[in-house]
Every structure is written in structure tokens, then in C-alpha cells.
Amino acid sequence: MANPKPSTPVPAPVHKVRKAVLPAAGLGTRFLPATKAQPKEMLSVVDKPLIQYVAEECVASGIEHIIIVTGKGKNAIEDHFDSAPALERFLEDHGKKDLAEMVRKITNMVQVSYTRQKEPLGLGHAVLVARDLVGDEPFAVLLGDVIIPGPRPATRQLVEVYEATGVGAIAVEEVPREKTHLYGIVAGDPAPQPPWGARLQRIRDLVEKPKPEKAPSNLAITGRYVLPPEIFDCLARTKPGAGGEIQLTDALRILAQERGLWAYIYEGVSYDAGDKLGFLKATVEIALQNAELGGDFRKYLKSLQL
Ligand code: G1P
């Protein structure tokens, strides 16, 4: 059979999106020294580690099984999702049933499996490492240093696009031109259709971290993806790209050409919490929305008279 026309969506038989891959093997160099002996995914925004925000987004998006790709020095992530009987007993013995329940909920919220990326060969390679655990079904990818709080998670929105069209979808958002070198950038053609309207674009091309003058647009990849299993063959054919690493963005280019891929301008706000300023913004805004602390925190910020 002849190859389909580049960028023409080729719907595959649609299966429910049950699994998610969370790459968490990176060294977190943007956040040193905090990440010298601590995984960046365990940095806490207000009262929860970043990886828990991401796991909660998975659960709210219908995901049943999370696969975390770890590396050296990441044991704290496994401990966080593991059961903690001694801690639960202590809390119950001291009349803190609510806290004991909260700790138990983290353990029981979703099935979690772990696999290891043995060498830092890039984000694309980290996703490829999860191939056997994902198997022959569609899956989500969520980057652990991006948090997108809100009632309708970005991953849920992508799952809806995938399950309705049978074509993979990635979340994108506009960024200032001078920042294109920090993101994967997409070139797309508007493909409006109900119920998504102009939020949907058919991807023509993707470039990882282009300089502003080489960027095909200012639509950046946010760190949320829903992909068909064919992405694994694309990854296996992907040569090292930007930074000498096997880039997920380069494999997505192959997928877009061979099977089609949507860019979806998701509804919501993302924080790049793997970056110090992004982390501070996330902390302030999420603290302001916190039921327990928000009021006092707002008063405190106002008192600073900046
Ligand atoms: C990764 C991806 C990039 C994406 C970004 C979103 O880059 O490679 O395409 O735009 O995440 O945060 P990283 O930030 O890991 O360098």
C-alpha cells in the first residue's frame, strides 16, 4: 500500500486510553542545588510533590495504570506512591484519621509500575523504554515538571480528541517568539471541527527547540501527549537530534507524516515547575486557590505592598 499523504490523519481502531507514561529520569539541572540529592519530581508546590499533581491529572483523565520511567537517585518517587503502614498507624494512634486517610489515598489512587532508563539518552528514549509495559495500545505521556491544575485536565481533553478521531493529539499553547528555543514547536494547519472548533490543528511539521528565526510558529508543545502505539516504531527509527538526544518531537514528526497528528490548543494554564521562576509562579497561584491557606496568603501578599 502506498504511504498516506503526509499529515493526512489515518484513523486507527480506537481503544480506550488506559495507560500513561511519566518520564522522570532527568537530572533536574535547572533546579540545582535543590535537586542534587532529591528528584525534581518530588519538589513540593504548596503541600504536594509535582509528581502527585501529574498522577492526579492522570486519574482525573480516566487513566488506570501509570508507568513511571525513573533513573538513579529517584527512589523517593517509589516510596511516595508505596504504602506506609507505620506512618498510617502512627497517625491513627494520634487521632489524625484524616491525615491517615489522605496518605492511604495516595497509595491506592492508581496502579503504578516502574521501569528504568539506564542512560540519559533523551525524552524520546525514555518513552521507548516503556514500550513493553504499554504494549499495543494508545497511551498518554505527561512530563513531570509541567503542572496544569484545573477541573478539566489537559490530558482528559487530549483523550477525548483521540477517542473521537483515532488520531494522536498533543497539547500546545502560544509562547512569546523569543522563547521558542525552550520548546518543541509545531507547524499546523487549522482543522476546525465540532466540538473543538479552532482549537484543533493538523500538524505539518515539528521542530525541537528552534531559534526564534527558524521557528515555524509560536505554538509550543506543553508536555501532554496522547499517542497511538505506532509511536514506538517511530521512536525506534529516530536518530539523536537537538542536544545529541533522542527527541520525542523528532519521532512525532515521523508519526505526523505517516499517520497524522493533531495539535490541540488546550483549555487551561500550565506551569513549568522544573524552572525556578515557573515553580514560584505555580506556588503563589496554587497557594492563592488553596481552601485552607488562600485567604491568609492573599492578605499577606497584599501587606507586602510591592
Ligand atoms: C520537553 C520537550 C519539548 C516540550 C517541553 C515542554 O523539553 O522535549 O518538546 O516543549 O518538554 O516542557 P524539556 O523541557 O524537557 O527540555
Side-chain angles (χ1 to χ4, degrees):
M1 198 177 85
N3 276 341
K5 206 167 129 244
S7 307
T8 305
V10 181
V14 178
H15 298 285
K16 188 176 166 347
V17 182
R18 301 184 307 133
K19 296 185 181 176
V21 174
L22 276 47
L27 295 174
T29 50
R30 284 188 298 163
F31 226 120
L32 282 166
T35 47
K36 183 166 175 250
Q38 182 193 199
K40 68 172 170 181
E41 295 77 13
M42 290 302 295
L43 295 172
S44 270
V45 168
V46 185
D47 57 359
K48 270 190 289 196
L50 295 176
I51 192 118
Q52 192 178 327
Y53 284 94
V54 175
E56 287 174 357
E57 179 178 337
C58 287
V59 174
S61 304
I63 299 294
E64 298 160 12
H65 184 174
I66 292 176
I67 296 148
I68 304 184
V69 182
T70 66
K72 259 191 193 32
K74 300 281 184 166
N75 295 351
I77 298 176
E78 295 194 33
D79 289 342
H80 185 70
F81 290 108
D82 197 3
S83 67
L87 175 61
E88 286 170 29
R89 212 171 311 118
F90 177 88
L91 292 169
E92 264 159 15
D93 289 350
H94 289 74
K96 298 185 174 165
K97 284 209 161 26
D98 289 0
L99 284 182
E101 186 49 35
M102 183 234 274
V103 167
R104 226 181 333 264
K105 241 170 118 180
I106 299 169
T107 315
N108 297 332
M109 72 175 160
V110 65
Q111 181 188 351
V112 189
S113 300
Y114 300 90
T115 186
R116 252 173 126 107
Q117 185 186 25
K118 292 177 190 150
E119 293 169 276
L121 297 180
L123 176 61
H125 178 258
V127 173
L128 187 54
V129 163
R131 182 178 199 158
D132 277 356
L133 286 167
V134 171
D136 192 22
E137 57 180 287
F139 63 103
V141 177
L142 293 87
L143 304 191
D145 44 14
V146 178
I147 51 177
I148 312 181
R152 216 173 145 255
T155 300
R156 172 86 252 159
Q157 297 172 44
L158 297 178
V159 165
E160 284 166 9
V161 172
Y162 171 79
E163 289 185 351
T165 65
V167 171
I170 66 175
V172 296
E173 65 190 280
E174 286 192 25
V175 296
R177 268 266 160 193
E178 64 276 14
K179 296 213 164 150
T180 56
H181 64 291
L182 299 173
Y183 301 95
I185 301 291
V186 308
D189 297 317
Q193 56 172 287
W196 306 294
R199 291 186 176 277
L200 208 56
Q201 297 205 359
R202 180 170 297 155
I203 293 182
R204 225 180 321 117
D205 200 8
L206 307 95
V207 195
E208 180 67 7
K209 306 206 168 88
K211 292 197 177 114
E213 60 276 18
K214 293 243 166 97
S217 80
N218 67 336
L219 271 186
I221 303 173
T222 304
R224 298 293 185 268
Y225 315 74
V226 168
L227 302 171
E230 287 76 18
I231 188 66
F232 291 120
D233 280 328
C234 302
L235 281 165
R237 284 185 269 148
T238 299
K239 303 268 175 309
E245 298 187 336
I246 297 175
Q247 297 290 351
L248 179 56
T249 303
D250 294 339
L252 292 173
R253 185 185 310 117
I254 303 177
L255 184 74
Q257 280 164 4
E258 295 183 354
R259 308 198 69 91
L261 186 64
W262 301 118
Y264 183 72
I265 305 169
Y266 71 99
E267 287 171 68
V269 181
S270 71
Y271 300 97
D272 180 4
D275 163 82
K276 289 176 190 173
L277 185 59
F279 184 88
L280 285 174
K281 289 180 185 169
T283 302
V284 171
E285 293 189 30
I286 292 173
L288 283 171
Q289 289 156 25
N290 186 283
E292 212 177 298
L293 308 167
D296 286 346
F297 187 52
R298 185 176 303 272
K299 276 190 214 146
Y300 167 70
L301 288 182
K302 280 194 176 146
S303 79
L304 293 177
Q305 298 181 328
L306 299 170

